Amino acid sequence: MISRLLVLDGSAAGDAACGLAACVSVESEGAYALIAQQKAAGKQAAEGIGLLAGQALAQAGWQAGAPLQPQLVAVVVGPGSFTGLRASCATAAGYALGLGVPVVGVTRGEALRSVLDTEVKNVDGLQGWLLVTAARKGRVFVETVAGVQAVALADWQPPEGRWLVAGDAATSLPMPAGTVLSESATPTAEQIAAAALARQKGELGPREALPLYVDPPEAKLPAAGLRSAPV
């Protein structure tokens, strides 16, 4: 039975960019304890999430050679920062390989789904929830139970009906009257751990622990093409 998880999240983009590494313990069914956490703001923190992971493991006493070590690595695969996702997923894969444990990926919406579903049920007449998170300038990611899409703010057409809107960019989209704003913006380490264990148990559909890229990369091929391979 899995009771100790290393949680990594470098998905947040834009002004909300940050890196999160945490050690989470499963106390009982549905109960999680945060043993250690390291979090730093900024794009550089997300890109250097391996350093945060090492600090969290040392704080928890779960580092190499210790009696207790993580039994599963959970990583947020998106949507979010291209570089942050690549760095955090690579770090998660490295730790899982080194420890000889599984690595499980979840989206931000999957991590928040339980709390958002509860909020929807507590308000009459809501169609569901939208998780709106920062993307590159002038764009946002919109996640629902059906999946994720990248949306240009200038092209946004709100769905019909009343919705619960959450996320770090929840107020950036014009929404019709009756919209309910959630205070949920970013999943906690415990919520990420719970979603990862649900996927590990088969309670969530399969998903590889690889970056979920919704927008195409900003980098473009040189106009003259790539250089020839070295001889």
Side-chain angles (χ1 to χ4, degrees):
M1 178 179 175
I2 293 172
S3 60
R4 297 183 299 278
L5 297 91
L6 171 63
V7 173
L8 302 175
D9 183 7
S11 63
D15 293 339
C18 65
L20 167 72
C23 296
V24 176
S25 174
V26 183
E27 300 297 298
S28 62
E29 189 67 29
Y32 298 83
L34 184 63
I35 305 302
Q37 178 171 284
Q38 294 292 324
K39 186 175 183 179
K43 180 180 178 182
Q44 291 76 14
E47 294 173 3
I49 198 167
L51 176 61
L52 297 178
Q55 293 171 343
L57 289 168
Q59 182 184 352
W62 291 3
Q63 67 268 48
L68 298 179
Q69 294 187 24
Q71 299 165 306
L72 184 145
V73 180
V75 60
V76 176
V77 298
S81 161
F82 183 90
T83 305
L85 293 180
R86 183 173 58 185
S88 53
C89 287
T91 300
Y95 268 106
L97 180 64
L99 292 166
V101 301
V103 56
V104 176
V106 299
T107 70
R108 300 173 84 176
E110 287 170 340
L112 284 170
R113 182 170 181 173
S114 178
V115 66
L116 295 180
D117 282 348
T118 298
E119 289 184 44
V120 168
K121 290 177 182 177
N122 289 338
V123 180
D124 292 336
L126 292 182
Q127 303 297 311
W129 52 263
L130 306 173
L131 181 65
V132 184
T133 53
R136 64 184 62 169
K137 187 175 181 180
R139 298 172 69 81
V140 293
F141 298 114
V142 180
E143 184 173 0
T144 69
V145 293
V148 185
Q149 62 177 320
V151 176
L153 298 179
D155 299 333
W156 169 249
Q157 296 294 327
E160 295 183 1
R162 298 176 60 219
W163 292 79
L164 176 77
V165 181
D168 56 43
T171 59
S172 63
L173 291 178
M175 295 294 293
T179 296
V180 177
L181 284 177
S182 169
E183 294 184 359
S184 299
T186 303
T188 65
E190 297 94 323
Q191 289 168 334
I192 297 168
L197 279 180
R199 171 148 287 132
Q200 181 73 359
K201 296 174 183 177
E203 297 169 4
L204 287 177
R207 181 186 296 280
E208 291 188 279
L210 297 173
L212 175 64
Y213 295 137
V214 184
D215 261 337
E218 292 184 286
K220 301 185 184 303
L221 291 174
L226 297 175
R227 291 181 294 177
S228 301
V231 177

